[in-house]
Amino acid sequence: MISSKKSSIKIGSFFSSNSNVVVKSKGIGSINIGDYVQVGPNVVIVSSNHSFKTKGKKIHEQEMDEGHIVIDDDVWIGANSVILPNVNIGKGAI
C-alpha cells in the first residue's frame, strides 16, 4: 500500500487480501475501504489514472487524473479486478 503526502488510504476492520494486491493513492486522491472487505489475488486499486484529454499531446506528457475510491462494508472484490478513480462499491457487493 502506497500513498503520497496529500492522499490517504483508510482500511476498516477485518480486511483480508490475497497475493499481488496493489493499493495506491496519489496526489489528492483517497481510498476508503470499509469493514469485512475481502480482496482476491492480483487486484489493483488506484486513485489516479493517466489523463488523455489533450489531443495531439502524448499520454506520457499529460498530467494524471486523481479521484476517490470508496469500498463499503462486506464487499468481495474478485481476482484480477482493477478499480480506478471515482468508483463507489456499495455494501454487500461482489
Side-chain angles (χ1 to χ4, degrees):
M1 288 179 230
I2 301 169
S3 67
S4 63
K5 290 181 182 181
K6 295 180 182 178
S7 68
S8 68
I9 298 173
K10 295 178 184 174
I11 298 177
S13 300
F14 306 103
F15 173 81
S16 173
S17 68
N18 214 306
S19 59
N20 301 319
V21 172
V22 174
V23 179
K24 182 178 177 183
S25 185
K26 187 175 179 180
I28 59 168
S30 68
I31 299 171
N32 294 317
I33 299 174
D35 297 332
Y36 300 97
V37 172
Q38 296 182 16
V39 179
N42 306 314
V43 169
V44 176
I45 303 170
V46 293
S47 69
S48 61
N49 198 7
H50 292 279
S51 179
F52 48 90
K53 295 175 186 169
T54 307
K55 291 184 179 186
K57 193 174 185 181
K58 292 179 176 62
I59 291 175
H60 80 272
E61 295 172 340
Q62 297 191 38
E63 296 180 13
M64 299 292 285
D65 289 330
E66 299 153 347
H68 307 284
I69 297 172
V70 176
I71 301 171
D72 287 335
D73 296 340
D74 191 30
V75 169
W76 170 30
I77 299 171
N80 302 307
S81 297
V82 177
I83 301 170
L84 296 174
N86 303 315
V87 169
N88 294 318
I89 299 176
K91 183 176 182 178
I94 298 173

